Every structure is written in C-alpha cells, then in structure tokens.
Amino acid sequence: MTSDSSTRSPFSEAQTPAVSVNIEGLSKNFGDLVVLRDITLKVESGEIFVLMGPSGSGKSVLLKHIVGLEQPTAGRVLVDNRDATDPATREQVRMALVFQAGALFNSLSVYDNLALYPRENRLASEDGIQEKVMRALQILSLEGKAQKFPSELSGGMKKRVAIARALVMEPQLMMYDEPTSELDPIMSATISEIIATLKDEYHVTTIVVSHDRDLALNIADRVGILMGGKLAAIAPPAELRASTDPRIQDFLNPRIDLKNPRFKHLET
Ligand SMILES: Nc1ncnc2c1ncn2[C@@H]1O[C@H](COP(=O)(O)OP(=O)(O)O)[C@@H](O)[C@H]1O
Ligand SMILES: [Mg+2]
C-alpha cells in the first residue's frame, strides 16, 4: 500500500484491491426470447470496460448477471473468482451499480440517501458514516447539496448523487447503467470525466453500459459491442475507430438516409 494520496481509495481505512470479472459462456433466455448467446469476456482488475449496443440488445441483462440479480441459462459469471449468483459473493466483494434512473429516495435528503446503506448495514458509527458521506459528496463536488432533496436537483446533479451514493459503499467494482442518458453534452462529458477519475485515482474496476459513443471512445480501456446476443467486437477505442467491419462502423457512425421513405417527413 502506498501513502501517496493520489492512489489511495477515497476510504483509505478500507482499501482493498480492485477485482476482475469473468463471464464464461453466458447465455440467457427469457422463455423463447434469446437475449445473450454464449458470451465470454474477462474484464481485468482496474480496467474501464464500456459495453455498447442497440436498445434491447441485453446490456442491462448482462449487468444484472454480474451483480447476481439474474441467473444464467447457461455458463457462469465470476466476480473476483467467485460465482456471482452465490449470495456470499455480495458479502465478500463490494459492488455498486449506478442505475439508469439513479433510483434515489425522493423522501430522503441527499445526505440521508448516501447514509442509508452504511446505516442499514451498520458499517460505522454515525460519526464514521458522516465522514464517509461528506467525503463522497466532496469527491463529486456536492458538499453544498447535502440537505437538498432529489426533487430540488437537476438531472446531472442527481446522477452525481447516485454516483456518490455508490462510492459510500467503497466499491471494488463500479458499474454504471447509461450514466449519461438524458444529459446534455457538457454534463455527459463531466460524468464521463468523473467515471474516469474515480477509476484512475482509486483503481476501481469499472463497467459502463452506455449508448454514448463519446464516453466510450474517450474513457474506455476496451469497448464491447453487443449485437444479436453476441459481442460483435471487443477492442480498445482506437482499434474500433479503425475497424472496417460495416456493422461496427454503422453502429459508431449512424447515418439517417433521408431518401429512405421512412424519413420522408424530414425532407426540406
Ligand atoms: N426480466 C425479464 N423478463 C423478460 N424479458 C426481459 C427481462 N429483462 C429483460 N428482458 C428483455 O431482454 C431484452 C434485453 O433487455 P435489456 O438488457 O434491458 O436491453 P438493453 O440493451 O437496452 O439494456 C429486451 O428484449 C427485454 O425486453
Ligand atoms: Mg438497458
């Protein structure tokens, strides 16, 4: 362990190494609907992996397998070499999932939203919890918002509160589901920067599900593109940009063909 503050976890007393995620031959069906087909992927400890793919391609379903909220139809998911569906894994590995909508409790202040998890799990005394909560708020530049209620905050601020709440869990693995959806380009860039900073400074393994091409190409160590239940590509951003695979290029650079009769109403 180093004493250099730039490489310490936000909660130095609880420092633990980042963890890897191994997805091995994962398939998932819901009845007749086949969502994931034999996916194999290793996310390395300390990596930022961004999973892209069209709507409905199974990105959120894949995340839910990592946190143990879904059971594989076939194959398995290992987090830190432990089965994700084993309840003991969630006790031994600290994972945080930042949901698309943020999922804040509207009846609780920002402070109480952040304090809820450590209070319920008796992770620290009230003084200790206050310290963790204030540190997380500070990291996200939200110190002044502790007593606000979610309804009083902008969309971008709510996302930051949701990230701060995840940080309070002192995660070894941070996952984000569409963290920049519904945000303007500047706020999206800010959130992307925050995700990258948290990973760089605290070495937390990071998996981001996102439609946001700029986010993916700017912060990912590697990007995976999920299509038709399979990973159509897994590559670092520079390699993806250079890909000659038309499916990848169409996905990264979608073009609206105004000659297509579907868009007739858009013609000027
Ligand atoms: N619990 C469920 N039961 C049945 N179908 C589901 C369930 N969860 C997701 N699906 C279906 O699986 C597909 C992938 O969903 P999802 O992972 O949410 O897509 P996205 O890539 O947009 O996140 C969709 O067709 C969705 O309707
Ligand atoms: Mg989704």
Side-chain angles (χ1 to χ4, degrees), residues 78-115:
L78 302 178
V79 179
D80 197 25
N81 298 315
R82 300 162 216 255
D83 196 298
T85 58
D86 181 350
T89 302
R90 260 163 288 165
E91 285 163 25
Q92 281 150 2
V93 183
R94 287 192 305 276
M95 298 181 238
L97 171 55
V98 179
F99 286 100
Q100 180 160 2
L104 299 174
F105 292 100
N106 287 320
S107 61
L108 297 180
S109 68
V110 166
Y111 183 95
D112 288 335
N113 263 284
L114 267 64

Side-chain angles (χ1 to χ4, degrees), residues 194-207:
I194 288 168
I195 294 171
T197 305
L198 292 178
K199 181 262 170 176
D200 283 347
E201 294 192 3
Y202 312 120
H203 195 65
V204 58
T205 307
T206 302
I207 301 177

Side-chain angles (χ1 to χ4, degrees), residues 30 33 35 53-62 64 70 177 209:
F30 292 106
L33 178 69
V35 179
S55 276
S57 58
K59 303 180 298 296
S60 296
V61 167
L62 187 71
K64 285 181 186 159
E70 289 287 1
D177 198 347
V209 158

Side-chain angles (χ1 to χ4, degrees), residues 134-226:
M134 293 316 290
R135 220 179 300 174
L137 288 175
Q138 194 185 359
I139 290 166
L140 277 301
S141 309
L142 288 165
E143 300 98 311
K145 307 295 177 195
Q147 298 314 320
K148 296 271 189 214
F149 285 84
S151 60
E152 300 174 279
L153 304 176
S154 67
M157 242 175 235
K158 279 188 218 170
K159 298 258 186 202
R160 271 151 61 202
V161 173
I163 296 172
R165 186 176 58 174
L167 267 192
V168 170
M169 297 180 197
E170 304 173 357
Q172 298 162 277
L173 171 61
M174 273 289 260
M175 288 162 283
Y176 304 83
D177 198 347
E178 305 283 4
T180 61
S181 62
E182 299 150 40
L183 298 182
D184 65 56
I186 293 176
M187 190 45 75
S188 295
T190 307
I191 296 286
S192 304
E193 212 170 285
I194 288 168
I195 294 171
T197 305
L198 292 178
K199 181 262 170 176
D200 283 347
E201 294 192 3
Y202 312 120
H203 195 65
V204 58
T205 307
T206 302
I207 301 177
V208 188
V209 158
S210 183
H211 272 102
D212 185 335
R213 174 178 162 271
D214 291 337
L215 174 148
L217 297 177
N218 287 332
I219 71 170
D221 293 310
R222 288 184 303 156
V223 179
I225 301 182
L226 193 57

Side-chain angles (χ1 to χ4, degrees), residues 39-57:
I39 302 260
T40 293
L41 165 71
K42 181 173 188 197
V43 178
E44 303 291 343
S45 162
E47 179 177 25
I48 298 190
F49 189 88
V50 179
L51 183 65
M52 303 186 78
S55 276
S57 58

